[in-house]
Amino acid sequence: MHIIALDIETTGFHPENDKIIEIGAALVNLETRKIEAEFETFINPGVPIPHVITNLTGITDQDTGNAPTMDDIRADLIAFIKEYPIMGHNIGFDISFLESNGLNLPNVRLDSMDIAHIAIPKAESYSLEIVAEKLGMSKPGQHRALKDVKDNIEVMFKLLDIYFAKNSSEELSDIIEKSLSPWKDIFKYAIRNHNTQIVAYDEQTKQAAKEAAKCEVKPNTLQEVAPHEIEQIIPENSGKKTIIAVTGEKNLTILNPSQYLDRNLFRQLTDKESLSPEETVFALKILPLLRSANYQLSSTEVSFPSNIKNLWFDYCYTSYPQDIIKTLKVANPIILTHQTLARLAKSEQLDMSDANLIIDDIDEFHNNVQRAFTMHYSERRFADSSLSEGIKDRIAILFGYIGMMYEKHGQSFALELCPYHFATMEWQKISDLATKIAEEAEDNSEESSMLRFLEKSKNGSQNLRIEIMLAMDGSPILKITPLNIGTMLAEKIWPIPSTLSLIGTAITYKGESPAGTYLKKLLCLPEDFRVETDNSYIDTENVDMPPAKDPLFTTNADNYLLQNLDRIEKPVFILANSQKAAGMIHHKLALPFKEKGIAVMAQGASGGIGKIRVKSTKDPENTVLVGTYDFWRLLSMEAGITNLKTLIIYKLPFPPPGTTPFKEPEDFNAFKEYALPITGLKIKKIAKTAQKTILLDSRITI
């Protein structure tokens, strides 16, 4: 029983534009676990190798200058691969590049990412480098083709051993027998022939809570506080129920219903006559976690690859099960996310009448609640529902009309509908058909409720923003965003609890008078609601630069970083105003500072968020991170990068025009009344986690 393990290195991530620069492959005997033959070669891409790729792989133009072309090695590679199954980590990436070079291989494809997800329920990252490190392997992640191939082979065997040494049952064997996965035969072999003398992988461990003084949370106050952990804001012996709403997923008591697995629905999956490759990975990952009959599995305990993530929503609860409802009544404190609090408050499922309500990160509360109630409609969302085939056919026509509307009127990523659009003949077709479909869908299913909401929203209102967007495959998505979040909060949350404490590390910005005006207006808080600010000193340095819109700004800012970054205390976070800008900064800095032993990692250029988080915490004194505000929030939210030595503001992250999250009143100045306040709060929030802030773009002071 043999397979081919394959890996390639490339000049970029897009097979239609980028080129292959190295290929490595090995013929593996699954019974002996030995490599029986190897294939390795540089490839002359015919174009210069970008600095970022040389930084990643170490491969230079000198290495590939005299190497064969793809045409030169095509026949040899095909002869080496023969008809064996091809295995790789995210193998679709490698195959897509081979296909773009005329190698349309019909071989079975095995993605070892599937095995990693099955064997390791939750990890920060499932990249080959991070998984290999978890398994105790030395010096993984070299980004050289044959080295990665050999690492991948070792990872595959270790993961199969780990999974099947821990898990063996008739039910598991039955799932594999019914599976349509290309891994089926290897799974069956591994059940019988796995190594029982395995070394456990490095489990993801929770960091011990640091001893820290309690943060004094004041009742009925919009309060600015120092950076803190959840444990610091839980009151001691208050005598009342305490409800705490937060932004992350640490220490949560209650989740949304859709974050809990419905065992009865999952049983329907495992009882199917056959399971697709995606269903196989999902079932094999979930099954070992359900050993306890009373255990309520949540999505926070597992990670899924992108092609499987949506399966969770086919097998989760749509409303709270009884044991969770009981928890809502008896738990104290109750810790939940902003989104969960908003949904429970609106549906009146959470009794807050005699409770202390604390909302942390109050500056992000409006945005998170708005996202919780924003609806995304696509044909695919209804395709697998219990609606009749006749209704599904009409929904397909409806989204055809929506796509035609976008083709005629759309000019960018999203088409925001205005009164002009609602008066067009194209929208009239959409409106009429939406009405007919909603009338036919009379049951109480979630899909029918969605259709009725869609019908009510069809002509827009001052409280809704309706947009048509395109999915990756070009299909239309209708996005409906509520703009009356503040009004809902004023009705459903603010008057209910016994005490209301709204806290955050940034509730005002320099120059705002009176302090807290923007947040109070955004959240529809009473005018007399008390505000208390934190006037602790923020160490800032303004660097003399041309204005941010001056063509010379970028050149001067890049030169400043090249000349000074090695002397600036690390870890450093360089704040960019877009992911594209972060990539350009990374392109300039990564290679020269790698030679100095400093790792520069950027959003979108250095792997996924989990991989960057793991790598950045290993050697923070030699780490520079580059990205947007949202990137920083993701890094910091789950016990990641919270203690910066230096923040460098490369360019201020002003929001793009037309993104105001509420209905703009007459004579509204979008810059002064929205863009300036929201940017000022973001900058202050990051700056309070750093010991020093350096401003290259000084349009806002801190």
Side-chain angles (χ1 to χ4, degrees):
M1 196 173 185
H2 292 77
I3 63 171
I4 293 289
L6 175 79
D7 185 66
I8 65 173
E9 302 300 332
T10 65
T11 60
F13 304 112
H14 306 290
E16 63 275 12
N17 298 319
D18 296 310
K19 307 296 181 182
I20 297 173
I21 56 176
E22 188 180 32
I23 298 177
L27 176 64
V28 187
N29 186 321
L30 294 179
E31 296 177 7
T32 64
R33 301 192 175 199
K34 301 292 185 183
I35 293 175
E36 296 184 352
E38 296 178 0
F39 182 100
E40 180 183 27
T41 182
F42 285 121
I43 301 294
N44 188 333
V47 296
I49 297 174
H51 289 301
V52 66
I53 299 300
T54 297
N55 174 64
L56 183 68
T57 65
I59 300 173
T60 65
D61 291 329
Q62 187 175 357
D63 294 321
T64 61
N66 295 318
T69 65
M70 279 299 300
D71 288 338
D72 295 333
I73 62 92
R74 182 179 287 106
D76 290 340
L77 181 60
I78 292 173
F80 183 83
I81 292 175
K82 295 186 173 66
E83 296 179 355
Y84 296 117
I86 303 173
M87 186 272 291
H89 210 68
N90 192 19
I91 190 62
F93 174 86
D94 306 89
I95 294 296
S96 66
F97 269 87
L98 293 177
E99 288 178 343
S100 71
N101 282 272
L103 273 76
N104 295 303
L105 301 168
N107 307 53
V108 171
R109 301 166 189 184
L110 305 168
D111 194 339
S112 57
M113 190 85 77
D114 291 343
I115 309 298
H117 274 278
I118 289 170
I120 304 175
K122 186 175 180 66
E124 290 266 32
S125 168
Y126 287 89
S127 71
L128 181 62
E129 177 182 356
I130 301 302
V131 172
E133 286 181 355
K134 280 178 121 6
L135 297 173
M137 294 166 54
S138 61
K139 295 185 178 179
Q142 302 299 304
H143 286 287
R144 293 300 304 273
L146 189 59
K147 173 67 167 64
D148 283 355
V149 161
K150 292 179 178 180
D151 284 348
N152 200 4
I153 293 167
E154 186 176 353
V155 163
M156 178 192 70
F157 283 123
K158 284 179 178 287
L159 291 173
L160 289 170
D161 288 340
I162 286 170
Y163 185 79
F164 288 106
K166 289 181 178 180
N167 307 297
S168 59
S169 66
E170 288 186 14
E171 189 172 17
L172 186 144
S173 297
D174 182 56
I175 287 172
I176 293 172
E177 193 62 45
K178 296 187 295 185
S179 172
L180 301 176
S181 168
W183 285 100
K184 177 176 179 176
D185 290 339
I186 296 176
F187 286 158
K188 291 171 70 173
Y189 181 82
I191 289 176
R192 301 188 304 271
N193 298 284
H194 59 268
N195 181 2
T196 57
Q197 302 298 316
I198 61 168
V199 178
Y201 64 86
D202 179 20
E203 297 271 6
Q204 185 174 347
T205 56
K206 293 183 178 180
Q207 295 182 350
K210 297 177 182 178
E211 288 293 329
K214 283 286 183 182
C215 175
E216 184 185 357
V217 177
K218 298 183 178 180
N220 304 316
T221 303
L222 178 60
Q223 181 184 358
E224 197 167 62
V225 296
H228 54 272
E229 299 292 337
I230 293 176
E231 294 81 5
Q232 293 173 258
I233 62 174
I234 299 175
E236 295 178 346
N237 305 318
S238 68
K240 290 184 178 180
K241 176 185 284 188
T242 297
I243 301 168
I244 303 176
V246 297
T247 50
E249 291 189 340
K250 290 172 57 183
N251 306 316
L252 297 180
T253 312
I254 299 292
L255 306 170
N256 287 323
S258 62
Q259 290 178 281
Y260 294 106
L261 183 78
D262 185 329
R263 286 178 179 241
N264 292 327
L265 292 178
F266 180 72
R267 181 62 56 197
Q268 293 177 23
L269 169 67
T270 58
D271 287 344
K272 291 176 67 173
E273 292 184 2
S274 64
L275 280 77
S276 70
E278 293 78 17
E279 289 171 335
T280 301
V281 173
F282 185 82
L284 293 180
K285 187 179 184 92
I286 295 295
L287 193 62
L289 304 177
L290 300 179
R291 291 197 178 99
S292 169
N294 297 320
Y295 184 66
Q296 194 72 64
L297 182 70
S298 78
S299 59
T300 62
E301 301 168 71
V302 288
S303 305
F304 295 107
S306 57
N307 65 324
I308 293 173
K309 194 173 293 184
N310 286 336
L311 268 179
W312 176 273
F313 298 103
D314 293 334
Y315 301 101
C316 65
Y317 284 102
T318 55
S319 59
Y320 282 115
Q322 286 302 312
D323 56 339
I324 301 299
I325 292 175
K326 182 179 179 180
T327 300
L328 277 172
K329 294 179 180 179
V330 301
N332 192 21
I334 294 176
I335 303 174
L336 34 61
T337 65
H338 289 174
Q339 294 92 325
T340 302
L341 171 65
R343 291 189 182 105
L344 288 172
K346 189 175 182 182
S347 62
E348 299 182 352
Q349 290 182 276
L350 179 62
D351 182 9
M352 299 187 291
S353 58
D354 192 33
N356 300 318
L357 175 60
I358 301 171
I359 302 179
D360 198 6
D361 285 315
I362 189 61
D363 54 299
E364 299 184 27
F365 188 59
H366 184 281
N367 182 51
N368 288 333
V369 173
Q370 188 171 58
R371 284 194 298 178
F373 293 120
T374 295
M375 302 297 293
H376 293 81
Y377 296 97
S378 66
E379 181 187 349
R380 181 179 176 183
R381 184 162 186 175
F382 297 98
D384 297 326
S385 70
S386 59
L387 295 169
S388 71
E389 292 303 315
I391 291 179
K392 289 181 183 179
D393 289 342
R394 280 183 279 284
I395 289 173
I397 296 172
L398 175 69
F399 279 94
Y401 287 160
I402 292 171
M404 291 166 62
M405 181 86 181
Y406 180 88
E407 286 181 8
K408 183 168 183 178
H409 300 280
Q411 295 180 345
S412 60
F413 171 71
L415 169 64
E416 182 175 346
L417 303 184
C418 65
Y420 164 77
H421 297 112
F422 295 127
T424 62
M425 185 171 60
E426 292 84 12
W427 189 258
Q428 190 60 50
K429 289 182 179 180
I430 295 170
S431 176
D432 292 345
L433 186 53
T435 299
K436 291 178 181 178
I437 295 172
E439 289 172 352
E440 291 182 46
E442 295 179 348
D443 60 52
N444 293 320
S445 67
E446 182 183 10
E447 292 82 8
S448 296
S449 298
M450 288 165 54
L451 286 169
R452 287 191 286 273
F453 177 73
L454 176 59
E455 193 274 331
K456 291 177 183 177
S457 308
K458 65 188 178 185
N459 291 325
S461 78
Q462 62 178 356
N463 293 325
L464 295 174
R465 176 183 290 133
I466 301 180
E467 300 166 273
I468 301 175
M469 305 184 301
L470 294 184
M472 294 292 289
D473 61 2
S475 60
I477 297 173
L478 196 64
K479 178 182 178 183
I480 302 177
T481 304
L483 300 177
N484 61 340
I485 296 300
T487 303
M488 188 276 286
L489 299 176
E491 293 175 357
K492 296 290 187 178
I493 296 183
W494 304 151
I496 310 301
S498 173
T499 63
L500 176 64
S501 302
L502 309 178
I503 67 174
T505 54
I507 65 164
T508 187
Y509 57 96
K510 195 166 185 178
E512 184 183 39
S513 180
T517 297
Y518 169 73
L519 279 183
K520 287 174 69 173
K521 187 174 181 180
L522 177 71
L523 299 170
C524 291
L525 288 167
E527 288 187 13
D528 60 350
F529 200 78
R530 188 168 56 194
V531 176
E532 183 171 302
T533 60
D534 172 23
N535 296 316
S536 56
Y537 175 70
I538 298 176
D539 185 7
T540 60
E541 175 188 340
N542 286 282
V543 179
D544 186 22
M545 286 280 162
K549 293 185 178 181
D550 190 307
L552 291 175
F553 173 85
T554 300
T555 301
N556 287 24
D558 290 345
N559 287 338
Y560 171 84
L561 294 174
L562 287 167
Q563 294 167 15
N564 295 281
L565 195 55
D566 54 342
R567 298 194 297 269
I568 294 173
E569 277 198 283
K570 300 166 191 66
V572 169
F573 186 85
I574 301 175
L575 179 67
N577 63 343
S578 69
Q579 182 172 320
K580 181 179 179 181
M584 294 173 68
I585 296 168
H586 178 263
H587 178 78
K588 299 278 182 60
L589 303 181
L591 192 55
F593 284 101
K594 182 180 182 180
E595 296 168 354
K596 298 180 180 182
I598 298 171
V600 179
M601 293 179 283
Q603 176 182 4
S606 305
I609 187 76
K611 181 178 180 179
I612 293 174
R613 187 187 290 137
V614 170
K615 293 181 71 173
S616 63
T617 54
K618 289 180 180 176
D619 187 15
E621 291 79 12
N622 290 297
T623 294
V624 175
L625 300 167
V626 190
T628 62
Y629 173 82
D630 290 338
F631 179 67
W632 172 79
R633 284 297 288 145
L634 287 171
L635 284 172
S636 63
M637 198 174 291
E638 297 299 325
I641 313 304
T642 53
N643 295 307
L644 295 173
K645 291 288 187 182
T646 310
L647 166 67
I648 300 176
I649 299 176
Y650 187 94
K651 254 192 181 176
L652 290 166
F654 289 114
T659 57
T660 311
F662 46 83
K663 192 68 178 178
E664 298 179 3
E666 291 185 14
D667 301 323
F668 180 75
N669 186 316
F671 179 77
K672 289 185 178 180
E673 297 181 61
Y674 170 60
L676 181 63
I678 196 68
T679 304
L681 293 177
K682 288 179 178 180
I683 297 305
K684 185 175 184 179
K685 189 163 190 166
I686 308 181
K688 288 181 74 171
T689 68
Q691 293 183 14
K692 183 173 184 177
T693 298
I694 298 173
L695 291 99
L696 306 185
D697 179 356
S698 54
R699 286 176 288 176
I700 288 180
T701 55
I702 302 176

